[in-house]
Amino acid sequence: MKTRFNTYDIVCGVAELQRLVGFRVNQIYDIDNKTYLLRLHGGKENEKATLLIESGVRFHTTDFEWPKNAAPGGFSMKMRKHLKNKRIEYIRQLGNDRIVDFQFGRGDVANHLFLELYDRGNIVLTDVDLKTMYILRPHTEGDRFAVHEKYPIDRAKKDIDDISLDTVQKLIDNAAPGESLKRVLMSLLDCGPAVIDHVLLTHELNHHVVSYTAKPAKTAQMLEHTKTKQPKLRINSGTAVEAKPFDAKTDLTNLLQAIKESRDIIKMGHEGKTKGYIIQVREEKPMNTETKDAEYFYRNIEFHPYLFAQHQTQPHAVFNSFMAAVDEFFSAQEFQKIDLKTLQQERDALKKLSNVKKDHAKRLELLNKIQDMDTKKAELIQCNQILVDKAILAVQSAIANQISWTDIHELVKEAQVNGDEVAKCIKQLDLKKNHISLSLCDPYKNDNDNGNSENSVIVDVDLALSAWANARQYYDQKRFAAKKEQKTVDASQKALKSAERKTQQTLKEVRIISTITKARKVFWFEKFYWFISSENYLIIGGRDAQQNELIVKRYMRPNDIYVHAEIQGASSIIIRNPSGEKVPPKTLLEAGTMAISYSVGWDAKVVTNAYWVQSNQVSKNAPTGEYLGTGSFMIRGKKNFLPPCHLVMGLSLLFKLEDSSVHRHIGERKVRSVEDEFELNIPEIKTRDLRNEAKQIQNNNGKTFESNIFAYPNTEIKIEHDTGRLFVNKESSFAENIHLEKITENCNTDESTLISAGTTRKKQQTNAKKCKEEKKPQCTLNTQTTLSSLNETDLKSTSKIKRGQKGKLKKIKSKYRDQDDEERELRMMILKSSGKEKPQPQVNESKDNKELENNKQLDQAELTNTTSNCKNNVELGENYDISAGYDVEMIDTLTGQPLEDDELLFAIPVVAPYQSLQQYKFKLKLIPGTGKRGRAAKVALALFSKDKSCNSREADLLKSIKEEALARNIPGKVKLSAPQQHTFRKH
């Protein structure tokens, strides 16, 4: 398989990259320690392009997204310093060598970037005088190559302008005997092996080798060796062919024409007249049992700028440019690895099934042979009945005469020497078992053979039985073997069916996992600790000091919130706030839980307070005389401490939704007020037909519908906080006739909140008006709802009062009897339990606001720096978009509550504060314990897959999750807690 550029590839690549001359460097990134991305823009239409260079391997433009390192390396920073915002002046190949020279800028500020594509490769950054400024791989062995030394461009190979007949003849004469013509030309034509294979094949010289007779000073012994043992060549197909000796008289002219054609191909590459080709190998997949059609997988093996003769019969893909072919070849390598792994797993599964079938066939074949042999032995005994009986009688007589076993052996041997027919058929005496072995043959086929025929069979005979009894015994063995065969067949058929089912299931799972793995997109935030809060805020945290510094410097934006805890090892947490609105307290508390959990407090089981500050309060500038280490920051201004957070994390799964399924989950995670919580927990009350109720009231009471609606006393509704149950208390004798038909609006409540429904129409209209104006849900009764008779049994069936609450409800009713809505709002505002605060006109600025304003003014420089960093991130082309709402749009495609009709692409494991996972379908509670993280991840996957609500698609997605991906975000040693945990058993 081709893995790097050859000389002809460099020629064609340099020719195609001439379109980038004049482009300006926007930014530089590193993929790994030897692969770098150069973001470019320019051209007539201000185009954008990305140039990828890899030391010792390749260079090409790319349209794919490549994973970049979290922090730029030293070589990236050096290139950014000297090459950023400079134009590409030229791109050239040094001589005919595998070295590419990129010049950036002109004049005294020009820089050269040399990319070496031979041996282990190298990348060298020099100034205008070719003085080395930075080198990727310095070495001092052999030719010294280090910083501050001039780059040796003179050592590059030079191209041979003219190749004469004498040059070729001299080269062949000096070649080693038996050396292939291809190897001889490679030292002359530095254009890559593919070009040489092409021209030799075109001119029918691909099987030729330099003959032993090419050199005159050869002994007769060597010439004889040449005649008797011709070398063999192995061509591209892998088959060995007989080599043909090169004849200078007949083959030299063809060789010169082949060399000329290679020069023409190289010239075509310099002119940029080539396309791109990926050569493939067709791999057959295991046959699908459902369709019975053969499926094939095309594996990429080589990339070329020209369709050479040796590849024309192979499967290949064509591209408009060589750069596009190279980009596709290297970008598809990961998918190719996945496909190859899948193919190997499928073959292994089928091999196991094949082994089961072979074992089954061998067992049946053995049983058949045993039956055939028993039948044949029984028939031979019957055919030789007299002979068998005589042999049995002779041995029995000797035993009856108390002759020793050794003497019996001697007697048999003497009888055989004397030509006794009975003795001749005795081959062995096994007197311990009371058996003898007789050599018997069919007397009707071999009358004159006297038992010495090749068709004779050794038959074991029991001395205690007659010939007929021995024959019957063999027939019995045959019948027993037949029964055993039938049982084996029955059992084997079941085993085969089971094995086939398992194999097909394995094949299906392997292919599904392969598809899921290909669709799996690694989000930029997965390199950090992360989760999505219950109110749809993306929260990220650093794994170590380096990542703590990275997320603050590169990923924190002006509207974001910084959360930390004053405990050793606490992670720096960033709450991404694209909307710029106030972050709700629930999200702040969840972020605080995360900060404390990822610290030494987890293993020590120590609970402490976390705090949050605005992004402009976080600074890397230390006070005079002090030093801030990596991952440490200076917090200026007031810290907003959060309540003590519990060390309770959760482990769950987020599912990536296909675009058509996203709309079903809009608002799934949103900022919920207390009214929303009431709406989620309130029991559903069945409604009746309003028109029928109105007519019934008119007939029974003789009053109009509207006059009856408001003729009822106050009704108090209480929501039990932990269970969400609804309680209704009534105040008058009319209570027996009250029917609470429907509550159409959400109610704002907490543990000790009573919500009153007014008795007058005016108050209801006022509440409705407030609800409309403020666009907030209020606890009202719909004016179109009919209130009719509701007996006490209906109320009892709606909800039950817990023991001990009756007296409490009586006290609450008497305490808040005279409280109206305005008084209630004022009290709730004072208690800060009325949900979101309403915007109040600021007449006088408070002392706290003044202090905060002063802090903001003091840290204005920090805010400017943070803003400029964010702008730079956009210019650098980071993996996120700073536009408002981008985070929300991205994370809205992830759900923890998949529906049956959703199309799910893949699953992502997530570790988050347990309170943020309450609505998730799959979840486990994690608390500090003694269990290892890997074991916890394994148990979690087993529990999730055994969940009764887990459908087939979700089960498939679970199988594609690796345990290490699940375990890497678990804080430390843990204890799992789940309702279904007791059902899991270790096998």
Side-chain angles (χ1 to χ4, degrees):
M1 182 176 177
K2 186 177 179 181
T3 57
R4 60 167 62 193
F5 273 37
N6 57 37
T7 305
Y8 187 57
D9 296 334
I10 295 173
V11 169
C12 298
V14 168
E16 287 192 16
L17 289 187
Q18 295 306 310
R19 70 179 186 86
L20 298 182
V21 173
F23 277 57
R24 191 181 297 274
V25 178
N26 186 28
Q27 192 52 275
I28 300 172
Y29 304 98
D30 51 350
I31 298 176
D32 52 40
N33 58 356
K34 65 174 187 176
T35 310
Y36 301 88
L37 289 174
L38 283 73
R39 302 273 193 193
L40 310 171
H41 71 277
K44 296 179 180 179
E45 300 179 359
N46 197 21
E47 302 174 42
K48 292 183 179 180
T50 303
L51 177 64
L52 185 150
I53 59 175
E54 183 176 358
S55 171
V57 178
R58 54 176 167 150
F59 65 91
H60 59 88
T61 54
T62 179
D63 294 326
F64 291 86
E65 279 295 328
W66 294 84
K68 298 178 280 292
N69 279 347
F75 196 59
S76 285
M77 298 301 294
K78 200 75 174 179
M79 288 193 291
R80 288 182 182 184
K81 179 180 179 181
H82 295 283
L83 305 182
K84 192 175 179 181
N85 295 325
K86 290 185 179 179
R87 295 185 185 275
I88 298 179
E89 295 300 322
Y90 65 72
I91 303 173
R92 66 173 183 175
Q93 181 183 10
L94 289 187
N96 200 36
D97 210 339
R98 285 177 285 174
I99 304 173
V100 183
D101 177 14
F102 299 86
Q103 179 176 330
F104 299 86
R106 62 177 65 178
D108 295 338
V109 295
N111 291 96
H112 293 263
L113 190 69
F114 293 98
L115 173 64
E116 297 180 355
L117 297 167
Y118 58 87
D119 195 22
R120 293 170 59 189
N122 213 339
I123 303 177
V124 184
L125 179 65
T126 71
D127 59 12
V128 65
D129 297 323
L130 303 183
K131 185 178 179 181
T132 303
M133 302 172 65
Y134 203 89
I135 183 170
L136 184 64
R137 190 177 60 86
H139 54 87
T140 55
E141 298 179 0
D143 296 335
R144 180 179 172 81
F145 201 24
V147 180
H148 303 308
E149 296 184 1
K150 188 174 181 178
Y151 187 81
I153 60 173
D154 297 334
R155 70 175 185 175
K157 294 181 181 178
K158 305 298 181 183
D159 192 12
I160 303 176
D161 296 330
D162 186 25
I163 300 177
S164 63
L165 180 64
D166 294 337
T167 303
V168 177
Q169 184 65 58
K170 185 178 179 181
L171 188 67
I172 292 175
D173 290 342
N174 292 329
E179 189 171 2
S180 66
L181 199 58
K182 173 184 175 180
R183 188 174 293 276
V184 173
L185 289 183
M186 285 184 68
S187 61
L188 179 66
L189 303 173
D190 196 359
C191 57
V195 176
I196 296 176
D197 280 336
H198 169 76
V199 295
L200 290 178
L201 181 61
T202 305
H203 293 83
E204 299 180 351
L205 296 171
N206 55 317
H207 297 164
H208 286 64
V209 297
V210 176
S211 174
Y212 289 104
T213 57
K215 289 186 177 181
K218 295 295 176 185
T219 61
Q221 197 175 32
M222 187 173 290
L223 290 176
E224 184 64 25
H225 176 76
T226 305
K227 294 178 182 178
T228 57
K229 189 178 181 181
Q230 281 287 358
K232 291 186 178 182
L233 293 180
R234 192 167 294 277
I235 58 176
N236 291 335
S237 62
T239 57
V241 296
E242 290 292 338
K244 298 179 182 179
F246 180 81
D247 189 351
K249 294 181 180 179
T250 59
D251 297 329
L252 191 58
T253 305
N254 282 343
L255 183 58
L256 289 174
Q257 291 178 354
I259 294 173
K260 182 179 180 301
E261 184 178 348
S262 68
R263 307 287 291 179
D264 293 338
I265 292 175
I266 296 173
K267 183 179 178 181
M268 188 187 304
H270 280 295
E271 295 173 353
K273 297 180 180 179
T274 57
K275 291 186 177 182
Y277 300 88
I278 293 181
I279 312 303
Q280 301 170 326
V281 172
R282 191 174 72 172
E283 302 276 0
E284 185 174 358
K285 292 183 177 181
M287 186 174 293
N288 191 336
T289 56
E290 296 178 359
T291 61
K292 300 295 183 181
D293 296 330
E295 296 181 8
Y296 299 96
F297 158 63
Y298 290 89
R299 178 166 56 92
N300 299 337
I301 56 172
E302 294 184 16
F303 56 91
H304 294 288
Y306 188 89
L307 186 58
F308 298 110
Q310 63 268 27
H311 300 139
Q312 289 178 358
T313 58
Q314 292 180 266
H316 58 271
V318 185
F319 297 84
N320 292 329
S321 66
F322 177 56
M323 294 286 95
V326 177
D327 189 27
E328 174 65 27
F329 181 87
F330 284 100
S331 301
Q333 277 189 339
E334 288 302 318
F335 286 165
Q336 294 269 306
K337 290 178 182 178
I338 294 172
D339 287 335
L340 286 174
K341 183 179 179 181
T342 302
L343 185 63
Q344 187 59 42
Q345 288 175 338
E346 290 175 349
R347 287 175 175 170
D348 290 343
L350 289 176
K351 187 176 180 181
K352 289 181 180 178
L353 179 61
S354 177
N355 290 338
V356 171
K357 290 181 177 180
K358 287 180 180 178
D359 181 64
H360 169 68
K362 285 182 179 179
R363 292 174 66 185
L364 291 181
E365 184 181 1
L366 180 62
L367 288 172
N368 286 326
K369 285 184 177 179
I370 292 174
Q371 293 179 61
D372 293 340
M373 184 57 66
D374 287 340
T375 303
K376 189 173 184 179
K377 289 180 178 179
E379 292 175 348
L380 289 174
I381 291 175
Q382 289 178 334
C383 294
N384 298 275
Q385 178 208 350
I386 298 174
L387 183 63
V388 172
D389 283 335
K390 286 182 178 180
I392 293 172
L393 183 59
V395 176
Q396 284 178 340
S397 299
I399 294 173
N401 291 325
Q402 297 182 355
I403 300 175
S404 66
W405 291 353
T406 305
D407 293 340
I408 294 174
H409 279 282
E410 295 297 331
L411 289 174
V412 170
K413 288 181 180 179
E414 290 178 4
Q416 289 174 349
V417 172
N418 295 330
D420 186 81
E421 292 183 1
V422 175
K424 283 183 180 179
C425 73
I426 298 174
K427 292 299 182 183
Q428 187 177 359
L429 296 175
D430 190 2
L431 300 179
K432 290 182 180 180
K433 295 181 179 180
N434 202 30
H435 284 198
I436 60 173
S437 297
L438 303 178
S439 177
L440 303 177
C441 60
D442 191 347
Y444 302 104
K445 292 182 179 179
N446 304 283
D447 293 334
N448 301 322
D449 213 17
N450 295 326
N452 293 324
S453 171
E454 294 179 357
N455 295 322
S456 61
V457 177
I458 304 298
V459 180
D460 195 33
V461 174
D462 190 347
L463 295 176
L465 302 175
S466 64
W468 289 108
N470 275 287
R472 185 171 61 250
Q473 191 175 34
Y474 276 108
Y475 281 125
D476 291 340
Q477 291 179 8
K478 185 262 180 187
R479 284 192 292 272
F480 177 77
K483 290 180 181 179
K484 187 176 181 180
E485 180 188 10
Q486 186 60 43
K487 291 180 179 179
T488 303
V489 169
D490 295 340
S492 298
Q493 286 178 350
K494 292 180 181 179
L496 283 175
K497 288 180 180 179
S498 176
E500 287 177 354
R501 281 195 302 268
K502 288 182 180 179
T503 301
Q504 294 304 322
Q505 182 66 22
T506 302
L507 295 178
K508 182 181 177 182
E509 290 177 0
V510 164
R511 292 177 182 178
I512 289 174
I513 292 172
S514 173
T515 305
I516 294 170
T517 306
K518 289 181 181 179
R520 172 75 162 96
K521 179 183 179 182
V522 179
F523 294 100
W524 64 267
F525 50 78
E526 289 188 70
K527 57 178 172 280
F528 306 112
Y529 293 130
W530 68 277
F531 75 97
I532 302 173
S533 77
S534 54
E535 294 162 319
N536 213 36
Y537 286 84
L538 176 62
I539 300 175
I540 59 174
R543 296 179 180 275
D544 48 32
Q546 287 78 12
Q547 282 201 351
N548 286 339
E549 188 148 334
L550 175 67
I551 63 173
V552 173
K553 283 187 173 181
R554 183 177 296 184
Y555 291 95
M556 188 167 69
R557 301 178 296 190
N559 293 327
D560 293 348
I561 299 295
Y562 177 84
V563 183
H564 196 54
E566 294 179 337
I567 185 172
Q568 182 183 356
S571 177
S572 288
I573 307 298
I574 302 297
I575 303 176
R576 302 298 294 271
N577 186 19
S579 64
E581 297 181 358
K582 187 177 179 181
V583 177
K586 192 172 183 181
T587 294
L588 291 171
L589 191 62
E590 290 170 0
T593 301
M594 181 182 185
I596 295 172
S597 297
Y598 290 115
S599 70
V600 296
W602 180 268
D603 290 330
K605 301 179 182 179
V606 174
V607 178
T608 185
N609 289 358
Y611 63 86
W612 65 270
V613 295
Q614 300 290 342
S615 59
N616 63 324
Q617 295 180 247
V618 184
S619 171
K620 188 62 180 173
N621 297 331
T624 305
E626 295 184 14
Y627 169 76
L628 292 177
T630 303
S632 300
F633 304 94
M634 178 63 65
I635 306 298
R636 304 184 187 277
K638 180 182 177 182
K639 296 179 181 178
N640 304 282
F641 281 89
L642 297 166
C645 304
H646 298 290
L647 294 173
V648 181
M649 298 290 282
L651 194 153
S652 185
L653 298 173
L654 281 169
F655 296 90
K656 179 69 169 67
L657 296 167
E658 205 272 337
D659 292 341
S660 61
S661 302
V662 174
H663 70 278
R664 299 192 185 104
H665 299 268
I666 294 176
E668 190 173 72
R669 297 180 296 264
K670 67 177 182 179
V671 180
R672 300 185 186 274
S673 63
V674 184
E675 292 94 335
D676 297 318
E677 297 297 331
F678 176 79
E679 182 185 33
L680 289 174
N681 296 321
I682 190 169
E684 183 179 354
I685 302 175
K686 296 183 178 180
T687 60
R688 301 179 182 177
D689 191 298
L690 299 182
R691 293 181 181 177
N692 294 336
E693 292 289 340
K695 289 179 181 179
Q696 184 178 355
I697 293 174
Q698 287 178 351
N699 295 334
N700 294 339
N701 304 319
K703 296 181 181 180
T704 61
F705 171 70
E706 292 184 359
S707 64
N708 271 319
I709 290 180
F710 307 105
Y712 298 94
N714 292 346
T715 302
E716 294 180 347
I717 303 172
K718 180 180 181 295
I719 305 299
E720 191 175 292
H721 180 69
D722 54 349
T723 63
R725 292 176 178 171
L726 177 71
F727 299 96
V728 180
N729 295 332
K730 300 152 292 183
E731 282 192 355
S732 73
S733 59
F734 293 99
E736 294 181 359
N737 299 323
I738 294 176
H739 181 198
L740 183 60
E741 190 69 7
K742 181 182 181 183
I743 296 177
T744 58
E745 303 292 342
N746 298 331
C747 298
N748 192 357
T749 184
D750 60 12
E751 289 186 1
S752 58
T753 301
L754 291 175
I755 304 175
S756 300
T759 57
T760 63
R761 182 175 184 177
K762 183 178 180 181
K763 185 169 285 189
Q764 289 195 358
Q765 289 175 344
T766 303
N767 291 341
K769 188 175 181 181
K770 285 183 181 179
C771 182
K772 229 177 192 180
E773 290 175 353
E774 298 174 7
K775 295 183 180 179
K776 289 186 177 181
Q778 298 292 332
C779 181
T780 63
L781 292 177
N782 193 337
T783 57
Q784 300 298 323
T785 303
T786 303
L787 297 177
S788 61
S789 62
L790 175 66
N791 55 32
E792 301 243 345
T793 56
D794 289 334
L795 286 174
K796 289 180 181 178
S797 63
T798 304
S799 61
K800 293 182 180 180
I801 299 177
K802 286 186 177 181
R803 181 180 179 184
Q805 287 188 338
K806 193 171 182 180
K808 186 177 180 181
L809 288 173
K810 213 178 266 187
K811 290 179 183 179
I812 291 173
K813 185 175 72 172
S814 62
K815 183 177 180 180
Y816 296 100
R817 175 178 298 179
D818 300 324
Q819 188 182 80
D820 59 9
D821 290 345
E822 291 180 0
E823 183 183 355
R824 176 184 170 277
E825 281 187 36
L826 185 60
R827 288 180 179 274
M828 296 294 282
M829 191 183 302
I830 294 171
L831 294 172
K832 301 206 181 279
S833 58
S834 58
K836 280 192 172 180
E837 294 182 8
K838 298 179 182 177
Q840 301 291 337
Q842 297 181 359
V843 180
N844 295 323
E845 194 175 29
S846 66
K847 184 179 178 181
D848 290 340
N849 289 338
K850 287 181 180 179
E851 290 180 0
L852 182 59
E853 184 65 29
N854 292 335
N855 289 335
K856 288 183 179 179
Q857 290 176 0
L858 289 173
D859 294 326
Q860 188 62 34
E862 295 300 330
L863 177 61
T864 306
N865 292 337
T866 306
T867 307
S868 63
N869 286 340
C870 295
K871 290 181 179 178
N872 289 337
N873 286 341
V874 177
E875 294 176 359
L876 300 181
E878 291 297 334
N879 293 338
Y880 63 87
D881 192 343
I882 201 168
S883 60
Y886 170 77
D887 284 344
V888 177
E889 292 175 3
M890 176 180 60
I891 64 180
D892 275 348
T893 62
L894 301 174
T895 180
Q897 309 171 51
L899 304 175
E900 285 295 329
D901 297 333
D902 286 342
E903 186 173 346
L904 307 178
L905 300 181
F906 52 85
I908 308 173
V910 58
V911 176
Y914 191 69
Q915 60 264 39
S916 67
L917 306 176
Q918 293 302 313
Q919 304 300 325
Y920 284 40
K921 182 175 182 179
F922 302 98
K923 58 181 179 291
L924 287 171
K925 185 183 291 186
L926 302 176
I927 58 175
T930 58
K932 294 183 178 179
R933 295 186 300 176
R935 174 62 181 167
K938 186 176 182 180
V939 172
L941 286 177
L943 288 173
F944 291 158
S945 61
K946 291 183 179 181
D947 195 318
K948 293 181 180 179
S949 62
C950 181
N951 59 37
S952 59
R953 178 58 179 173
E954 292 165 355
D956 291 336
L957 297 179
L958 281 170
K959 292 172 184 175
S960 66
I961 297 176
K962 296 181 179 178
E963 292 175 8
E964 53 268 25
L966 197 64
R968 67 192 301 257
N969 286 354
I970 296 177
K973 291 188 176 182
V974 296
K975 178 183 177 182
L976 282 179
S977 176
Q980 67 275 35
Q981 187 177 358
H982 67 279
T983 61
F984 178 74
R985 294 288 183 269
K986 183 178 178 181
H987 297 288

